[in-house]
Amino acid sequence: MINYICHIENKVKFKPLGENLLVEAHSAEEEVNGIYVGSQDNRKGTVVSTNNSVQLEVGDVVLFSNSAGIELAVDGDKHLLLSVDEIFGLIDPEK
C-alpha cells in the first residue's frame, strides 16, 4: 500500500517525527568499499528529510534491510519512512 503526501513548489513537504527519516531508496546493486548494497538482503538510500533529533543529515547515504520501512509516495516519487533503529550504518562514498 502506498500513501500519498501533497507537495508545494516541488519541495518534499514531509518532516518525519521522532527518530524517523525519509529515504529515497536506490535500486541498483553496487559495491561500495567492499560492501554490496542494493542486494536481496540489504539496500541503500539517500536521506531526503529528517529532523533535529536524528544524527543523520539530508544527503547521507545509509544501508538498511530490504524489509525495512514504510513505502510512501512523496512528490510522485517512492520513498521509505525508516526508523533510526532500522538503519545499519552510514556509507561514506569518499573512502
Side-chain angles (χ1 to χ4, degrees), residues 26-57:
H26 302 191
S27 59
E29 180 180 297
E30 66 177 282
E31 181 183 353
V32 178
N33 301 331
I35 302 171
Y36 285 92
V37 294
S39 70
Q40 192 173 19
D41 298 325
N42 56 55
R43 296 171 71 185
K44 78 172 184 173
T46 303
V47 177
V48 295
S49 183
T50 186
N51 62 53
N52 294 337
S53 67
V54 177
Q55 295 176 353
L56 297 166
E57 297 178 3

Side-chain angles (χ1 to χ4, degrees), residues 53-86:
S53 67
V54 177
Q55 295 176 353
L56 297 166
E57 297 178 3
V58 171
D60 284 346
V61 178
V62 294
L63 183 68
F64 52 92
S65 169
N66 200 26
S67 61
I70 298 170
E71 193 173 89
L72 300 173
V74 179
D75 293 338
D77 296 320
K78 290 183 181 179
H79 292 75
L80 290 172
L81 179 63
L82 298 171
S83 166
V84 171
D85 294 335
E86 295 177 301

